[in-house]
Amino acid sequence: MSRLMGLAWRLLRGGGRRGLLGSGLTVAAVAVSTGLLLFTLAANLAFQGRADRGAWRNPVAATGDAVAVEAVHRDYVDERQITVVDVAALKPGAPAPPGLDRFPAPGEVWLSPALAGLAAELPAARLADRFPGKGGGRIGDRGLVHPEELVVVRGQAPGAPALTAGPAVDGKEDIAPTKISDFTGRRTDDAIGYQILALIASVLMVVPLLVFGGAAARLTVARRDQRLAALRLIGATPGQVVAMTVAEAVITAFGGAVLGTVLYFLLTPLLTGIEIQGGSWFVSDMWPGVLPVLALAAAVPLLVGLSAVVGLRRIVVSPLGVAKRETPPAMRFIRVVALLAVLALVPTLGAGVGIGVIVTVLSLAFLAINLVGPWVVGVLGRVVAATARRPAGLLAGRRMIDDPRAAWRTVSGVALTGFVAGFIGLLSPGADLLSPGNASDLRVSVPPAKVAEITAQARERLSAAGVRAEVTVRGRARAAGPSSRGHDAGPPVLVVSPREHDVASLDRARTALDGLVPGRSATTAADDDRSGFRVLGDIRTGTVVVLTVSFLVAIASAGITAASSILDRRQTYALLRLAGTPLKVLGAARRAETLIPLSVMGGGAIAIGMFCALPFALSVMNVSGLVTLLVCVGIGFAGVVAAGAASTPLLRSVTANPAPRPD
C-alpha cells in the first residue's frame, strides 16, 4: 500500500504545470464546499443553542417542591421588544437564572448589556424610569438569545403584585406567574420553528454542495482516466488502480478541506453579523465544536475519494476503450422515471407531515435532478447535432453526446440553484407583509373591579409625564341583557391614544403606564403582531442567505469545471486548431454546450422547485417572488457566461502550440 501511495504522490507531483493547475482547481472546489458545509453545520447548531438559551424564560410548572416563582411579559421601546422577567425565591439557595451570578434579591434589577446601553442612551422618561431599583449587574451570554437582545430580570418578593397577578387577556406572549423547581424551561414554538426552517434551508444548500464536492473528484477526469487506463494496460490490477485513485483524490481533497476550514474561521466575524430572529450572533455560535469540525474535515476527502472511485468503472472493466477514447453508451430512461417517482411524493407533503419526511423528499428531488441532468444533456446533444447549421453547433452537439456527464457538471451548480430559487421564490413574503403598520393606540387589560381607579391613575401619570393622550375604556362588562351584547362587551381594556404619534411620545406613554397593572405592559396592535412580521422578515433574510450561498457555489462550480474541461480536452482542442478551426468557433461551441443545457435544465429545475413548494404556499406567487426568480435567472446566466469568458485565456494558452503533447 505504501508503494501505491508513493506512486500516486509522484504522479500527482509529476503532472506538469497543467497537471498542478488541475489539482489546484480540485483543491479550490473542495475548499469552497468545506467552508460552506461548516457554515451550514454551524447555523443549525447555532439555532439549537439559541433555543436552549431562551428556554429558561418559558418556565415549566414544578411537579414537586418549588424553589422559585417566575413570570414573563413583553414590553417595548423604540419599536424593539423587551423581555421582562420577574422572579422571587421561595426557598433559600434557589438556583440563579442562566446568565446571572446569583439569584436576584428583591428590588434588584439585572439588565442585558444591550438594554443597559440603550437605557443610558435614551432619556430616562423613555426607558430607564421603567426599571427603578438597585442595579444587580449584567446578564451574561448564557441567558441571552443574541447579543442585541433586550432583557431585564427583576428580583421580587414572593407576594409582589407582579407575581400574583393573573394572566393577561391581551398578552399573546406573556406568561403568568409559575412556580418552578429550576430554570430549565422548555423551548418555545418560535424557537422550534426557526430550527425547522434552518434544517430546510440546510437541505437547499447542502445537497448542491455535496454534488459540487463529489464533482470535484471528477475534475480533470479525462487526463487521469488516460493515465490510469495506461497503467491497467501494462498490468496494474483493478485494486491498484482504485487505491491510486483514492490516494490522489484524498490527498488533494484533504488540502482543500484544510484550506476551507481556515477560510471559514477567517470569515466568522462577518457571518456573525447576519441578523435573524431579532439580532446577530455570538462568535461562539459560529463555532461548531472540535469534533464536528474534525469529522467534517475527514468526511469531505472521503466523499471526494468515493466519487472518484465511482467513476473508475470504465477504466477497470475496459481500459482499452478509455485509451481509444470510445464514446460511452447512452444513459437509460430509468433516470427520468426516478425523478417522476420522487415528484409523485410531493403532493403528500404539507401540514401534518413530519419534518424528517419533508427533508427526505426535498433531498431526493435534488438528487433526482442531478441524476436526470446528464440524460437530458445527452438528448439535447443529439438534437443539437442533428439540427446544427454551423460548425460551433455541431461541435457542441457532439461534445454533449460524447461526454454528457462532463457537460452537465459545468451547469449543474446553476441548475440545482434554480431549484432553490423556484422553491424559495414561491414562498418569499411580499414587501407589503413585512411592515406591522403604524398603530399607536396603547392597550392594557385591567381588572373589572378597578376600572375607574386605574383610568384615573393613567390620566394622572400621563399628565405628569407631559404626554397628551385620550384615555378610554373598551370592553367594559355591562349588566346582563340584550344591550350587553354590543361591541364593548367583554374584558375591560384601557386604551390610550397619544395625540403625538412619534416613537418618542409613545415610549414616554409606555413608561408612564408601566406598573399601572402589575405584570402587564401597555402594547399596541402592531406590537402584538411584531413577532409574526419578524418571522416573515427573517424568512426573507434567509432567502437572501440561501440564494447567495447557492449562487456562490454555482458560479464557482461553473468557473472551476469550465477551466478543468479545457485542461481535459486540450489535445482535442489542439487537433481542431491544427485542422484550421478558428479560436472564435471553439469559444462559440463551448458557450453553446453550456447555455443550451442550462436553459433547459435550469428552467426545468425552477419549475420543479416551484412544484415542490406548492404544498407549503399560502397564496400564489407575489411580485417579490417573481422578482426573486428573475434576478436569480439573470445572475445564473451571467455567472456561467462570465465563468466561460474567464477561462478563455486558458483556452488560448493550451492551443497556442497546436502540436499535441502526451500526458
Side-chain angles (χ1 to χ4, degrees):
M1 179 59 69
S2 59
R3 292 181 179 179
L4 291 176
M5 291 289 291
L7 177 58
W9 175 246
R10 286 195 295 271
L11 290 173
L12 188 62
R13 289 190 307 166
R17 181 173 61 87
R18 293 193 179 106
L20 292 177
L21 177 58
S23 299
L25 292 175
T26 302
V27 169
V30 174
V32 171
S33 297
T34 302
L36 293 177
L37 284 172
L38 279 173
F39 169 67
T40 304
L41 175 63
N44 280 273
L45 295 177
F47 276 111
Q48 180 179 339
R50 279 187 169 185
D52 293 338
R53 291 197 301 271
W56 70 278
R57 287 173 254 152
N58 189 28
V60 177
T63 56
D65 293 338
V67 299
V69 60
E70 177 183 8
V72 182
H73 70 274
R74 270 63 178 176
D75 200 355
Y76 295 86
V77 63
D78 199 25
E79 299 184 340
R80 298 173 61 186
Q81 178 179 290
I82 305 173
T83 302
V84 182
V85 184
D86 292 296
V87 295
L90 299 178
K91 292 183 178 181
L100 277 65
D101 297 332
R102 54 183 172 78
F103 198 98
E108 279 189 341
V109 178
W110 295 65
L111 303 177
S112 66
L115 183 58
L118 194 60
E121 175 186 343
L122 296 177
R126 289 187 62 183
L127 179 59
D129 288 347
R130 304 184 202 180
F131 310 120
K134 179 183 177 182
R138 296 290 176 264
I139 302 173
D141 294 352
R142 288 182 57 248
L144 301 175
V145 172
H146 55 79
E148 294 84 18
E149 191 178 24
L150 306 181
V151 181
V152 55
V153 179
R154 303 188 299 194
Q156 304 280 5
L163 294 177
T164 56
V169 176
D170 56 347
K172 295 182 179 180
E173 300 182 32
D174 293 352
I175 299 176
T178 305
K179 292 183 178 181
I180 58 175
S181 57
D182 55 43
F183 283 97
T184 302
R186 61 174 176 268
R187 298 178 183 179
T188 63
D189 292 339
D190 279 354
I192 295 174
Y194 275 101
Q195 288 183 271
I196 292 174
L197 291 175
L199 186 58
I200 294 175
S202 298
V203 173
L204 297 177
M205 291 189 295
V206 166
V207 175
L209 284 174
L210 293 177
V211 172
F212 180 36
R218 302 288 294 163
L219 296 179
T220 64
V221 65
R223 178 178 59 85
R224 186 177 65 205
D225 283 0
Q226 287 288 316
R227 187 175 65 237
L228 294 176
L231 290 174
R232 279 283 288 127
L233 290 173
I234 63 175
T237 66
Q240 291 173 328
V241 169
V242 170
M244 286 187 290
T245 300
V246 171
E248 180 180 345
V250 169
I251 289 172
T252 54
F254 181 75
V258 172
L259 177 60
T261 303
V262 172
L263 290 177
Y264 170 76
F265 289 114
L266 291 177
L267 295 175
T268 294
L270 295 178
L271 299 177
T272 59
I274 300 174
E275 293 191 6
I276 290 183
Q277 204 176 355
S280 58
W281 304 84
F282 294 110
V283 174
S284 59
D285 286 332
M286 294 291 105
W287 167 243
V290 175
L291 290 180
V293 170
L294 293 178
L296 188 62
V300 169
L302 291 178
L303 171 66
V304 173
L306 178 63
S307 180
V309 170
V310 171
L312 291 179
R313 185 175 63 86
R314 290 181 62 224
I315 297 174
V316 172
V317 175
S318 180
L320 185 59
V322 174
K324 293 170 61 180
R325 300 178 183 266
E326 290 182 349
T327 300
M331 284 165 284
R332 299 179 180 179
F333 187 75
I334 189 65
R335 294 170 177 257
V336 181
V337 174
L339 175 61
L340 296 176
V342 173
L343 295 182
L345 300 175
V346 171
T348 63
L349 304 179
V353 178
I355 182 62
V357 176
I358 295 174
V359 169
T360 300
V361 172
L362 291 180
S363 302
L364 290 176
F366 255 128
L367 296 175
I369 293 174
N370 188 59
L371 183 67
V372 82
W375 182 87
V376 173
V377 171
V379 173
L380 289 175
R382 290 175 174 81
V383 173
V384 171
T387 60
R389 295 294 181 267
R390 296 178 180 275
L394 182 60
L395 288 174
R398 288 302 309 169
R399 173 58 184 168
M400 288 189 283
I401 294 173
D402 289 342
D403 197 349
R405 291 183 178 86
W408 167 245
R409 279 195 296 270
T410 304
V411 301
S412 61
V414 177
L416 291 174
T417 302
F419 176 91
V420 178
F423 185 88
I424 291 179
L426 190 63
L427 303 179
S428 179
D432 56 325
L433 298 177
L434 301 178
S435 174
N438 298 315
S440 58
D441 287 351
L442 291 168
R443 305 166 305 167
V444 59
S445 59
V446 298
K450 296 184 177 181
V451 171
E453 177 186 351
I454 290 177
T455 302
Q457 290 180 1
R459 291 193 177 101
E460 181 180 345
R461 290 187 178 197
L462 291 168
S463 177
V467 178
R468 295 184 302 166
E470 179 183 358
V471 181
T472 59
V473 177
R474 299 176 186 171
R476 185 196 305 270
R478 294 194 288 246
S483 62
S484 68
R485 297 186 180 181
H487 70 279
D488 285 337
V493 176
L494 184 74
V495 180
V496 176
S497 304
R499 296 182 181 178
E500 298 177 1
H501 301 300
D502 59 288
V503 175
S505 298
L506 198 61
D507 287 342
R508 290 199 305 271
R510 294 180 194 271
T511 303
L513 299 173
D514 184 68
L516 183 65
V517 181
R520 306 175 193 175
S521 296
T523 60
T524 66
D527 294 335
D528 294 340
D529 296 330
R530 202 172 297 278
S531 62
F533 294 122
R534 185 192 67 196
V535 171
L536 292 176
D538 288 344
I539 290 176
R540 195 164 191 173
T541 301
T543 297
V544 173
V545 172
V546 171
L547 288 178
T548 299
V549 170
S550 299
F551 274 110
L552 283 175
V553 173
I555 293 174
S557 173
I560 291 173
T561 52
S564 174
S565 176
I566 292 175
L567 294 177
D568 277 347
R569 290 185 280 164
R570 64 181 183 271
Q571 185 176 5
T572 301
Y573 285 134
L575 293 173
L576 289 171
R577 291 287 284 135
L578 276 175
T581 306
L583 190 63
K584 182 178 180 181
V585 173
L586 296 180
R590 291 179 62 237
R591 286 192 298 273
E593 78 175 75
T594 299
L595 294 180
I596 291 174
L598 178 62
S599 300
V600 176
M601 282 304 299
I606 290 175
I608 293 173
M610 294 174 65
F611 178 75
C612 290
L614 283 177
F616 314 100
L618 300 178
S619 61
V620 297
M621 180 182 293
N622 51 56
V623 175
S624 175
L626 180 60
V627 171
T628 300
L629 272 182
L630 293 177
V631 170
C632 290
V633 172
I635 292 177
F637 273 86
V640 172
V641 171
S647 59
T648 299
L650 180 60
L651 176 63
R652 185 179 296 110
S653 173
V654 300
T655 58
N657 181 9
R661 294 180 296 179
D663 290 313

